[in-house]
Amino acid sequence: MARVVSLFLPGWPIDRLRRSLGAAAPPADQRLVLVGRDGARRVLTAVSRVAEQAGLRVGMPLAKAHALVPDILTLPADPAADAAALNRLSLWALQHYAPIVAPDPPDGLVIDTTGADHLHGGEERMLTGLVNRLGASGIFARAAVADTWGAAHAAARFLAAPVCVIPPGAAGKAVAPLPIPGLRIAPETVTGLHVLGFATIGEVLAVPRAPLVLRFGAGLGRRLDQVQGTVSEPVDPLRDPERVSVRKVFGEPIGAAETIARYTSDLVGDLCRALEKRGLGARRLDLIFHRVDNTLQAIRVGTARAVRDEKRLVRLLCDRIETIDPGFGIEIMELTATLAEPLVLQQAVSSLIEEEQADIAGLVDVIANRIGARRLYRLAPVESDVPERSIHRIPPLAPDDGATWPGRWPRPARLLARPEPIEVMALMPDHPPAFFTWRGVRRRVQRADGPERIFGEWWKRDAELAAVRDYFQVEDAEGERFWLFRSGEEQQIVNGIGRWFLHGIFA
């Protein structure tokens, strides 16, 4: 079943203008409006959130706006720049989130994420990450995902706070209480339905279709069918002419997995030759299938390094063919290198003295495309005395910078995400515990080593100015070894007031 994301940018023209102006942008508390023309009238085409709170609305005549709020700041609207920036944002989403992305003018994007959400940790995490990344760039956004474009569009504008995940099969029920403008119909049709007493989408869906179509035209019926999924609404994907792309058009539709795999191999060969002419290697490939029913299916795979190895790329794509539903047949296959990087050729091992290094890049690519690249990582050291800050995640094939952990004291194989409080019996001030209770189990300490004193990083947080931790390595009667610490200010530890925590477990 298809899954479609609608991204709504409620303040898009204003947010786009602020980003383009940079340091010269008006203050956030300034009542800012953009002004355009509607025939001979000058009207507001966009208003900032502060101006909207003051009572200004899109479509309001400029003279009326000045009468209501005399101190507004007016700037000319630039629809062409807004549309161009929306296209650039679509290309960014195409590169980072899914192979099928299109602008949804004037203030949104639509993304077909079918089969791609697992690469981002699931739908909710994907939407949250998308909204947060845009927010960090100064773009306010709301996002919703549903089975249909119509349902996702309505939910993003009237239900998301700031994200909304509509479960599969629940699109009609979810949009029923939403207002009629969520149907993407003409303003005069919305007004006519309000005159007839309709207030929500569910009320319109509940009445016979024929009288509505007779009065308002076939467009209303089509939108009602699209929001429920009874009529398909394919997303016409945005294409970047600068990206390397190859396609195959079939005289007769194909559908067998073996046939799809054979033509996939042919397309990969054509793409690798095109990449070779440019001196590039692929980091991300999108294989899009155009079905005869005017719908799209897609496969996205990525690699840890730029590659032009045909066998590896074919294997990655063919591993995902089982996720494709050919329906009544596929008439076009299109393969694009969505992300490509310069590929530096390396000298192969040619001496009997040199030892060939094991290359695990192929294995990493297979695993990453099955579970998601963000879930595959390795740990690297960070210069910090505080244990939980001394590691960070890096890509599995990131180059080694030579940094190591200090070897003065051994560190546990498993470090808990957060230190867990424990109950301890110990002699003060420097003796290790005699007993400790963790998760309801009391353990007698047989052997111990410590303390290792670690001070807080006062240059990062004022609260750590006097913070002290005394770490102990302890072994219980069963032979299990743990990493415990006593925390508090130095005088508190001497007086026996410090609290005890378990922070790690040794192998």
Side-chain angles (χ1 to χ4, degrees):
M1 181 176 290
R3 297 294 284 172
V4 181
V5 171
S6 178
L7 182 68
F8 176 43
L9 311 170
W12 172 242
I14 300 290
D15 292 342
R16 195 275 308 170
L17 181 64
R18 290 187 185 279
R19 281 177 53 83
S20 64
L21 293 176
D29 58 352
Q30 174 70 53
R31 294 169 178 173
L32 173 64
V33 299
L34 302 185
V35 181
R37 287 197 173 273
D38 181 11
R41 298 190 310 160
R42 299 183 68 194
V43 298
L44 307 186
T45 61
V47 298
S48 65
R49 284 179 282 277
V50 179
E52 187 176 13
Q53 293 171 0
L56 304 185
R57 297 291 182 269
V58 173
M60 179 181 292
L62 179 59
K64 182 178 179 181
H66 272 302
L68 291 175
V69 185
D71 63 340
I72 58 173
L73 174 63
T74 61
L75 293 174
D78 191 349
D82 294 337
L86 197 63
N87 280 342
R88 291 195 297 271
L89 188 63
S90 300
L91 290 174
W92 172 82
L94 171 67
Q95 187 176 25
H96 290 87
Y97 286 94
I100 302 176
V101 181
D104 188 10
D107 53 10
L109 303 180
V110 58
I111 309 172
D112 188 334
T113 60
T114 307
D117 59 280
H118 75 283
L119 300 175
H120 306 278
E123 291 180 337
E124 186 170 0
R125 290 188 63 180
M126 177 182 65
L127 295 186
T128 302
L130 174 59
V131 169
N132 289 343
R133 292 180 73 173
L134 291 174
S137 300
I139 301 174
F140 179 67
R142 299 202 299 264
V145 60
D147 295 338
T148 65
W149 181 352
H153 183 277
R157 282 148 181 81
F158 300 103
L159 200 59
V163 301
C164 174
V165 177
I166 298 178
K173 183 178 179 181
V175 302
L178 302 183
I180 293 175
L183 285 173
R184 297 174 294 160
I185 53 180
E188 54 271 19
T189 303
V190 175
T191 302
L193 290 170
H194 285 161
V195 170
L196 293 178
F198 295 103
T200 65
I201 296 175
E203 293 175 356
V204 181
L205 290 171
V207 301
R209 185 70 50 83
L212 293 177
V213 172
L214 184 63
R215 179 160 184 166
F216 298 106
L220 175 60
R222 184 174 63 255
R223 289 303 192 194
L224 292 173
D225 290 334
Q226 288 172 345
V227 80
Q228 297 178 96
T230 54
V231 171
S232 65
E233 187 179 10
V235 179
D236 185 16
L238 182 71
R239 293 174 176 85
D240 184 3
E242 296 182 0
R243 287 184 168 83
V244 182
S245 180
V246 293
R247 65 177 357 212
K248 176 69 176 177
V249 181
F250 304 104
E252 293 290 336
I254 65 171
E258 297 81 4
T259 307
I260 295 174
R262 185 172 70 252
Y263 284 111
T264 297
S265 179
D266 294 342
L267 286 174
V268 170
D270 295 340
L271 184 74
C272 287
R273 286 186 286 274
L275 289 171
E276 186 176 6
K277 292 179 181 179
R278 300 193 186 187
L280 300 175
R283 284 289 310 278
R284 185 173 295 121
L285 295 181
D286 290 336
L287 181 57
I288 300 178
F289 302 87
H290 299 252
R291 304 196 316 184
V292 295
D293 60 356
N294 201 28
T295 60
L296 303 177
Q297 298 270 308
I299 293 174
R300 164 164 285 191
V301 299
T303 60
R305 296 173 181 163
V307 296
R308 276 201 310 266
D309 186 338
E310 292 186 27
K311 291 184 178 180
R312 183 190 299 185
L313 297 178
V314 168
R315 177 187 177 186
L316 293 176
L317 290 168
C318 289
D319 280 349
R320 302 292 309 283
I321 286 179
E322 62 183 15
T323 66
I324 297 300
D325 177 12
F328 294 107
I330 296 169
E331 57 184 0
I332 300 175
M333 288 174 58
E334 186 175 4
L335 180 63
T336 304
T338 310
L339 180 61
E341 296 177 353
L343 181 60
V344 180
L345 299 180
Q346 297 180 350
Q347 176 68 42
V349 175
S350 58
S351 170
L352 296 176
I353 301 176
E354 297 179 19
E355 293 185 5
E356 186 175 359
Q357 299 293 325
D359 185 8
I360 63 169
L363 176 62
V364 169
D365 292 341
V366 171
I367 297 175
N369 284 285
R370 290 180 180 176
I371 69 173
R374 295 187 179 183
R375 299 174 62 185
L376 191 64
Y377 59 88
R378 64 186 177 90
L379 300 178
V382 177
E383 292 186 1
S384 176
D385 286 335
V386 180
E388 58 266 31
R389 298 177 191 159
S390 63
I391 58 174
H392 70 142
R393 298 180 180 183
I394 61 174
L397 298 182
D400 191 356
D401 59 3
T404 59
W405 283 283
R408 298 185 302 271
W409 291 82
R411 292 290 185 258
R414 177 190 173 194
L415 196 69
L416 300 183
R418 292 184 179 180
E420 297 186 11
I422 56 176
E423 297 179 4
V424 168
M425 177 183 294
L427 295 175
M428 294 294 113
D430 296 326
H431 289 269
F435 299 91
F436 71 94
T437 303
W438 177 52
R439 295 183 179 178
V441 179
R442 186 179 183 185
R443 303 174 186 271
R444 174 188 288 272
V445 175
Q446 296 291 94
R447 299 177 182 84
D449 192 10
E452 174 193 1
R453 176 155 292 187
I454 294 178
F455 294 92
E457 295 178 337
W458 50 268
W459 57 93
K460 293 183 178 180
R461 295 175 56 194
D462 292 340
E464 298 185 24
L465 184 60
V468 174
R469 291 181 183 178
D470 282 348
Y471 278 88
F472 293 88
Q473 303 167 45
V474 302
E475 181 180 319
D476 67 3
E478 303 297 328
E480 297 183 66
R481 299 174 63 208
F482 302 91
W483 206 36
L484 317 179
F485 71 87
R486 183 171 50 209
S487 176
E489 296 183 4
E490 189 169 3
Q491 189 59 40
Q492 291 177 330
I493 291 179
V494 172
N495 296 334
I497 307 177
R499 300 177 60 194
W500 284 86
F501 297 86
L502 189 145
H503 201 176
I505 302 171
F506 289 90

